[in-house]
């Protein structure tokens, strides 16, 4: 079961080096309203650990590698992000954990919303209750 889909971006590089372009509403399925990145984490750190009521995300490791675990409370998908031309699209109301960061990992995150802490669900049991999944 695929909860989140992988996105492949074109490598437009040449002999001068690599170039990857990501355009909102073209290469990804939403208008980009927020961009942030995670770096300086290590293999023992777990980031994310939440679901979002409204936000959708595209995650791409522009350097290094990391893993992303997503679940809807029933199925689970684990993706290793290790190519700067590949990303994972995570729709709203999907629980996400990012972990196993390489020492050089830079995980770029594109979002369809501005930050609003109220739309985050940070307790997994509460998340399951909201989506109607019994433990």
């Amino acid at each position: 079961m695929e909860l989140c889909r992988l996105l492949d971006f074109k490598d437009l590089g040449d002999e001068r080096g690599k170039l990857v372009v990501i355009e909102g509403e073209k290469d990804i399925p939403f208008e980009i309203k927020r961009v942030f990145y995670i770096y300086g984490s290590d293999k023992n750190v777990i980031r994310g650990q939440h679901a979002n009521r409204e936000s959708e995300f595209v995650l791409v490791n522009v350097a290094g590698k990391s893993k992303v675990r997503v679940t809807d409370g029933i199925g689970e998908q684990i993706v290793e992000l290790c190519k700067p031309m590949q990303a994972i699209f995570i729709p709203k109301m999907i629980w996400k954990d990012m972990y196993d960061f390489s020492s050089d990992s830079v995980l770029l995150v594109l979002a369809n919303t501005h930050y609003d802490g109220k739309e985050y669900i940070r307790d997994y049991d509460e998340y399951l209750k909201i989506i109607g999944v019994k433990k």
Side-chain angles (χ1 to χ4, degrees), residues 6-96:
L6 290 178
L7 305 174
D8 291 302
F9 306 123
K10 292 180 182 156
D11 179 355
L12 304 174
D14 56 25
E15 67 279 350
R16 299 170 296 168
K18 301 293 187 182
L19 174 66
V20 176
V21 176
I22 303 171
E23 294 184 90
E25 298 180 292
K26 185 174 180 183
D27 300 303
I28 62 173
F30 55 76
E31 177 186 355
I32 300 166
K33 292 194 177 173
R34 178 170 37 130
V35 176
F36 59 95
Y37 49 93
I38 299 167
Y39 70 101
S41 296
D42 64 37
K43 64 179 182 169
N44 299 315
V45 171
I46 301 174
R47 301 295 308 248
Q49 298 181 299
H50 62 264
N52 294 78
R53 297 176 194 274
E54 299 300 325
S55 294
E56 297 179 320
F57 299 96
V58 168
L59 283 63
V60 57
N61 254 95
V62 295
K65 64 181 180 174
S66 66
K67 291 181 182 168
V68 181
R69 176 188 160 275
V70 291
T71 182
D72 61 358
I74 301 169
E76 179 179 280
Q77 181 181 355
I78 296 175
V79 173
E80 182 175 65
L81 295 175
C82 57
K83 300 175 192 168
M85 302 87 72
Q86 190 172 67
I88 184 171
F89 167 64
I90 303 175
K92 62 185 176 180
M93 293 305 292
I94 296 290
W95 188 269
K96 67 199 88 29

